[in-house]
Amino acid sequence: LAEAMLASQRSPATVNKYLRHLKAFWRFAATMGQSEKLPLLRPLPLPKDSPDCLSFEELECLLEEASKEPGMVGRMPAKVFFPALPLFVFDTGIRKGAMMGLKCPALDIPHRVVRVAPELQKTRQGQLLGVSEQFCELIAPWHRPYDPNAFLFDWTYDGRSTGKSQTTWTWLN
C-alpha cells in the first residue's frame, strides 16, 4: 500500500496518515472480535523540518516597525508593548500561553532573569530564563515588580480584566 501511494505521487506524510487510519480501523476490528491479529504497519521515515525563524535583520526590522505603533495596550504604550513581545520570545523561547500568564514579580530586571512558574508550563516544571538588556531597558519604566496581580504583558483583549481567559495571544500571530 505504501509503495503504491508513493508511486502515485503521495508524500510520505500523507502515506503515514493513511497508515495511521488503517491501523486505527484494524485495532477497532480487533476490539470488536473481528480480527485476531493486527498487521504490522510501520510509518515511513520523514525528513526533519527545520524550524522557521527570523534572522537578526528581520527581527530588527520587526522591532523598528513595532516601535512605531500608536496607542496603549493595557497600561503600556503600544510602541513599548509590541517590541517587548518579540524581544521576550527571542530571548527566552517561552511558549505564548506561559508568557501571557507571567506576573510582574516573575521578572527580575537587575539580574535580567524571569522565573516561569510550573503551573504556566506545559511540562509543569519551573524555569529560570535570561532576558536581554535591551528588553529590560524597554520594559523597566512600565514594570511593577511589587504588584502580584499585574501581568507582565497586560493584554487586555482576551477578557483577563473580567477573569475569563489568559491565553488569547493568537490575534498577534
Side-chain angles (χ1 to χ4, degrees), residues 29 95 116:
R95 296 175 67 248
V116 185

Side-chain angles (χ1 to χ4, degrees), residues 104-115 128 131 136 143 145:
C104 281
L107 177 64
D108 182 350
I109 289 178
H111 294 102
R112 293 189 6 219
V113 294
V114 64
R115 289 172 190 84
L128 185 65
V131 291
C136 290
H143 184 237

Side-chain angles (χ1 to χ4, degrees), residues 62-89 99 107 109 134-143 152-155 169 172:
L62 174 72
L63 296 176
E64 183 180 326
E65 288 301 313
S67 67
K68 297 175 184 174
E69 196 64 30
M72 299 289 285
V73 178
R75 60 183 167 75
M76 198 180 295
K79 66 182 181 180
V80 172
F81 184 89
F82 288 115
L85 281 174
L87 264 178
F88 190 78
V89 170
M99 177 179 64
L107 177 64
I109 289 178
Q134 184 180 4
F135 171 77
C136 290
E137 288 173 0
L138 184 64
I139 204 163
W142 310 101
H143 184 237
L152 185 59
F153 295 101
D154 196 11
W155 180 247
W169 185 50
L172 301 176

Side-chain angles (χ1 to χ4, degrees), residues 5-155:
M5 290 183 77
L6 287 172
S8 68
Q9 303 301 315
R10 302 286 179 149
S11 74
T14 301
V15 173
N16 283 345
K17 179 179 78 168
Y18 284 105
L19 290 175
R20 285 192 309 272
H21 292 187
L22 277 174
K23 202 172 189 178
F25 176 75
W26 215 276
R27 276 193 311 265
F28 176 74
T31 303
M32 300 306 290
Q34 301 298 316
S35 173
E36 294 178 16
K37 198 172 177 185
L38 293 176
L40 182 61
L41 299 174
R42 294 180 193 224
L44 299 175
L46 297 175
K48 297 222 184 243
D49 290 335
S50 56
D52 295 330
C53 61
L54 299 176
S55 67
F56 287 110
E57 294 80 22
E58 291 170 325
L59 180 62
E60 286 174 4
C61 189
L62 174 72
L63 296 176
E64 183 180 326
E65 288 301 313
S67 67
K68 297 175 184 174
E69 196 64 30
M72 299 289 285
V73 178
R75 60 183 167 75
M76 198 180 295
K79 66 182 181 180
V80 172
F81 184 89
F82 288 115
L85 281 174
L87 264 178
F88 190 78
V89 170
F90 191 80
D91 289 345
T92 63
I94 195 170
R95 296 175 67 248
K96 66 184 176 184
M99 177 179 64
M100 298 310 285
L102 284 172
K103 303 285 180 115
C104 281
L107 177 64
D108 182 350
I109 289 178
H111 294 102
R112 293 189 6 219
V113 294
V114 64
R115 289 172 190 84
V116 185
E119 58 270 13
L120 295 176
Q121 297 281 63
K122 184 177 182 177
T123 60
R124 298 292 181 226
Q125 294 178 351
Q127 282 185 299
L128 185 65
L129 303 169
V131 291
S132 65
E133 187 174 340
Q134 184 180 4
F135 171 77
C136 290
E137 288 173 0
L138 184 64
I139 204 163
W142 310 101
H143 184 237
R144 298 186 300 195
Y146 302 110
D147 185 350
N149 298 315
F151 287 96
L152 185 59
F153 295 101
D154 196 11
W155 180 247

Side-chain angles (χ1 to χ4, degrees), residues 149-166:
N149 298 315
F151 287 96
L152 185 59
F153 295 101
D154 196 11
W155 180 247
T156 57
Y157 303 104
D158 65 357
R160 272 204 298 222
S161 57
T162 59
K164 291 182 185 171
S165 171
Q166 294 184 9

